[in-house]
Amino acid sequence: MPFKAQSNTLDALPQFWQVWKNPIFHRYRQSRLRLPSLITGFLLYGGSSMFFYLISLGITLTHAQQDNMVDTAIFPFALIVFLQLFILNFVGTGEVAAGMARESIDGVLTYQRLTPLSPATKIIGYLSGLPVRQFYHFLVTLPASILVISSGHIPLHVWGPIYTVLLTSTLMFYLLAMSVGLTMGKKFSALISQGLVALLYFALPQLSNFGFVIFEYLTIRPTIFSAAQKLTDWRITETHSALFFTWEISHTIYCIFIQGLLSWVFYSLLLRRWRNEEAHLLSKLQCITITLLLHIIILGSIWANTANGSIFEIEIKGVSPAAMIAREALSTNKELIAATILSLYGIIGFASAILLQYIYTPNKFYYLAGLRNPNRSRNFLKNILADSGTGFPTSLSIAIITTIAWMIYAQHMQQSSTILALTSVDAWTAAKPLLLVVAMMPLLTHAIVLEHLGRQLTGIVAGFAWVLPLATGLLLNAWSILESFANFLYGFSPLAMNFSPGYVMASHTLSQHNQAFISGTKTGITLYFIIGIIFAILLMKRHKHFQTTKNV
């Protein structure tokens, strides 16, 4: 009988989709939707949205001398959408991150792990409960949106995609904020999350100027621009169309797919941490999958525009002398644009691989605990993919994927008619060996050093080793001292190494300074190879020592 009663109690627990029964949601609903906050939110956000509508209506009737808002509805609609975007994506993200950090610091998350709710139910509870006040603020702005849409006769195919992508981007940013708050557990997690939102909205989309339009689809911007084009005759679209390889895809579908994929990554991260507080943020197999998908998506987004040459058309606005000189230089040196795009692709792949290494690489104590685990599997592949297994095979797989993707794109760029006419076969032949080693060698060396020294020490050493050559080279160039040596130093930084293949490809005849940079790159690769060998020997000695003492 007690077992039956316990079974009935567990069956009565809410499922992850039953938000209205979720105790975490109800806790935040009761604490964050008190009468004073309801009144303040209604007056502030509801009043602001209605103010936008009434101002636009007054201008339409008095100044524009029109009886309806069909031609002017776009202006209040855009203001209300930006207000809703601010409420959900900026304010809400900060609330979620701060709430998760506060729960972690106060030990509430530890208590929640002891409750019989499933991890998915807990995630959905926090996801719907922490920003419940922002959901209310969004709802009080909806009447003004409905009035503008109905009075302006804005069609469904315009406002429907905007609100759909607004919801998917909100979900993505909230899961990101929960991940930051849960993993960092610091009081400044809200500021970090809002900084990441600003980075995704304003910094990363600038890469679209070099053809990487994929980063635009992390935001709602492409959908808004597409909707604006449908309503007006203005050309507010981006330079490049939404192409995935040779298929043309709707901006809305593209946004939903990219944001949904990132939401899955953040949800997987949260799910693993809820199930095991000591687990890595992502499994090794998930990291390999993410790397593969990342390169497929990036290649798909730049493939067609590289083939037709539109990716090499960079528009510089402005009438200043500097802007005119830059515009003329870029129009006459498209091979430099190609070299920059190729180098940026290498940096994106390199940075993502390094970031993932810090996620799946175990420290020495976790690695030793895995060796001493009495339930350790005898399956070699299973042990390698376990969180406590060595991260080198995974790093090798990710480095191979990154290098192959980079070489595939370089080969595709070489076959572009625009670049074929500007570069020589000999230049590409000289660049291909660099493509093979400039990413592979630093990535593998960093993986070995990371596993031996640990995250904190490796991060500090790598930061100095990568930035110091660049800083020294910039200082020498600024003072016009030993300029050839300064260019030689640039090659020691893996960040600059990624520019060397494009540098060789775009250079018909290498000058003395160019040759110094390439020589520095080759010397740096050799140095990283030697460091990798040394730390690999130390790592094998440590593994042998752990094997002999694992039963002690």
Side-chain angles (χ1 to χ4, degrees):
M1 192 68 180
F3 294 103
K4 185 176 181 180
Q6 185 180 8
S7 176
N8 292 336
T9 302
L10 293 175
D11 291 338
L13 292 174
Q15 300 298 316
F16 71 93
W17 51 271
Q18 294 176 313
V19 179
W20 61 93
K21 293 184 179 180
N22 197 302
I24 300 176
F25 168 74
H26 284 293
R27 171 191 162 202
Y28 284 105
R29 179 186 61 80
Q30 292 172 359
S31 63
R32 300 199 172 192
L33 292 182
R34 300 182 185 276
L35 186 59
S37 62
L38 291 177
I39 295 174
T40 304
F42 180 79
L43 293 176
L44 179 60
Y45 294 107
S48 298
S49 59
M50 193 59 66
F51 175 77
F52 295 149
Y53 170 73
L54 293 176
I55 285 289
S56 178
L57 180 62
I59 293 174
T60 301
L61 296 177
T62 58
H63 295 276
Q65 300 296 323
Q66 296 179 11
D67 296 331
N68 55 63
M69 293 179 59
V70 174
D71 296 329
T72 58
I74 180 64
F75 302 107
F77 178 70
L79 288 173
I80 293 172
V81 167
F82 288 137
L83 177 63
Q84 293 166 339
L85 187 69
F86 172 77
I87 293 170
L88 292 177
N89 283 8
F90 192 77
V91 181
T93 300
E95 284 286 333
V96 172
M100 288 299 293
R102 188 163 48 248
E103 296 279 283
S104 178
I105 294 170
D106 294 342
V108 179
L109 293 182
T110 304
Y111 164 76
Q112 287 289 352
R113 284 191 172 91
L114 302 176
T115 62
L117 295 173
S118 67
T121 304
K122 296 170 187 175
I123 292 172
I124 298 299
Y126 279 110
L127 190 64
S128 57
L130 285 169
V132 68
R133 187 182 297 159
Q134 281 64 49
F135 292 152
Y136 166 72
H137 294 162
F138 172 75
L139 288 176
V140 298
T141 63
L142 283 182
S145 297
I146 295 171
L147 283 173
V148 171
I149 290 170
S150 59
S151 59
H153 302 291
I154 300 177
L156 175 63
H157 67 271
V158 171
W159 62 264
I162 289 177
Y163 280 104
T164 302
V165 177
L166 178 61
L167 294 177
T168 58
S169 64
T170 299
L171 175 65
M172 179 188 71
F173 286 128
Y174 286 178
L175 288 170
L176 168 64
M178 286 182 66
S179 304
V180 171
L182 182 64
T183 56
M184 299 189 66
K186 304 291 184 182
K187 293 182 179 180
F188 47 83
S189 294
L191 187 60
I192 294 174
S193 299
Q194 290 172 337
L196 290 174
V197 173
L199 178 72
L200 292 176
Y201 259 97
F202 303 110
L204 287 181
Q206 299 306 316
L207 290 173
S208 63
N209 294 325
F210 295 94
F212 295 94
V213 293
I214 188 66
F215 294 102
E216 284 278 355
Y217 295 92
L218 298 175
T219 69
I220 195 176
R221 289 171 53 171
T223 305
I224 291 178
F225 294 149
S226 178
Q229 189 186 25
K230 294 174 185 176
L231 278 178
T232 67
D233 294 329
W234 307 333
R235 187 169 183 78
I236 318 180
T237 54
E238 297 297 313
T239 306
H240 308 291
S241 57
L243 291 172
F244 187 74
F245 289 104
T246 57
W247 303 297
E248 184 140 8
I249 301 177
S250 163
H251 291 287
T252 304
I253 295 175
Y254 214 172
C255 282
I256 292 172
F257 173 74
I258 298 300
Q259 293 170 8
L261 189 62
L262 274 178
S263 298
W264 167 76
V265 171
F266 297 137
Y267 178 77
S268 301
L269 184 153
L270 290 167
L271 206 57
R272 283 178 61 84
R273 270 302 169 93
W274 272 113
R275 288 172 175 167
N276 183 3
E277 190 176 4
E278 301 298 326
H280 290 167
L281 298 178
L282 294 168
S283 68
K284 293 181 172 64
L285 194 58
Q286 285 175 328
C287 290
I288 295 173
T289 304
I290 289 170
T291 303
L292 190 60
L293 288 174
L294 173 68
H295 287 288
I296 290 174
I297 291 171
I298 293 179
L299 283 175
S301 67
I302 60 179
W303 193 266
N305 292 321
T306 301
N308 60 31
S310 64
I311 198 172
F312 308 115
E313 301 290 338
I314 296 179
E315 181 180 356
I316 297 180
K317 299 178 181 179
V319 294
S320 64
M324 295 176 66
I325 293 172
R327 192 183 302 115
E328 183 179 356
L330 289 176
S331 63
T332 56
N333 297 280
K334 292 189 184 296
E335 68 273 16
L336 295 180
I337 299 175
T340 303
I341 293 171
L342 185 64
S343 303
L344 285 175
Y345 186 93
I347 288 177
I348 291 170
F350 179 81
S352 61
I354 290 292
L355 177 63
L356 290 174
Q357 283 184 7
Y358 282 91
I359 291 177
Y360 61 74
T361 302
N363 58 41
K364 63 179 181 181
F365 303 108
Y366 201 14
Y367 180 74
L368 178 59
L371 289 178
R372 291 179 172 178
N373 187 1
N375 298 321
R376 179 180 171 87
S377 174
R378 295 186 177 182
N379 187 312
F380 176 77
L381 182 60
K382 197 171 181 180
N383 289 333
I384 289 295
L385 294 177
D387 282 358
S388 59
T390 175
F392 183 76
T394 305
S395 298
L396 179 61
S397 302
I398 290 177
I400 290 173
I401 293 171
T402 301
T403 304
I404 289 176
W406 200 13
M407 295 187 72
I408 288 173
Y409 181 64
Q411 182 67 27
H412 180 64
M413 179 182 283
Q414 181 186 1
Q415 295 172 354
S416 171
S417 57
T418 304
I419 300 303
L420 202 60
L422 297 173
T423 58
S424 64
V425 177
D426 293 338
W428 281 102
T429 304
K432 284 179 180 177
L434 288 175
L435 283 169
L436 187 63
V437 295
V438 294
M440 181 78 73
M441 193 55 61
L443 282 177
L444 295 182
T445 300
H446 183 270
I448 295 170
V449 174
L450 176 63
E451 190 152 345
H452 188 267
L453 297 182
R455 293 184 180 91
Q456 187 173 3
L457 183 57
T458 303
I460 295 172
V461 172
F464 276 100
W466 297 355
V467 174
L468 195 59
L470 294 177
T472 306
L474 287 172
L475 186 62
L476 292 175
N477 273 324
W479 286 89
S480 298
I481 302 172
L482 302 173
E483 293 183 0
S484 294
F485 180 68
N487 284 276
F488 180 79
L489 283 179
Y490 287 146
F492 279 79
S493 173
L495 302 176
M497 283 181 188
N498 286 278
F499 285 88
S500 59
Y503 214 67
V504 171
M505 177 271 293
S507 300
H508 299 293
T509 56
L510 291 177
S511 65
Q512 181 181 359
H513 293 332
N514 296 343
Q515 290 175 348
F517 172 57
I518 301 304
S519 300
T521 299
K522 293 177 180 179
T523 306
I525 291 170
T526 305
L527 179 63
Y528 275 99
F529 176 74
I530 295 172
I531 293 173
I533 293 295
I534 293 172
F535 276 90
I537 294 172
L538 294 176
L539 203 60
M540 287 187 287
K541 286 183 177 180
R542 191 183 74 180
H543 173 76
K544 185 177 180 180
H545 173 71
F546 283 170
Q547 285 281 17
T548 56
T549 60
K550 67 179 181 179
N551 295 322
V552 177

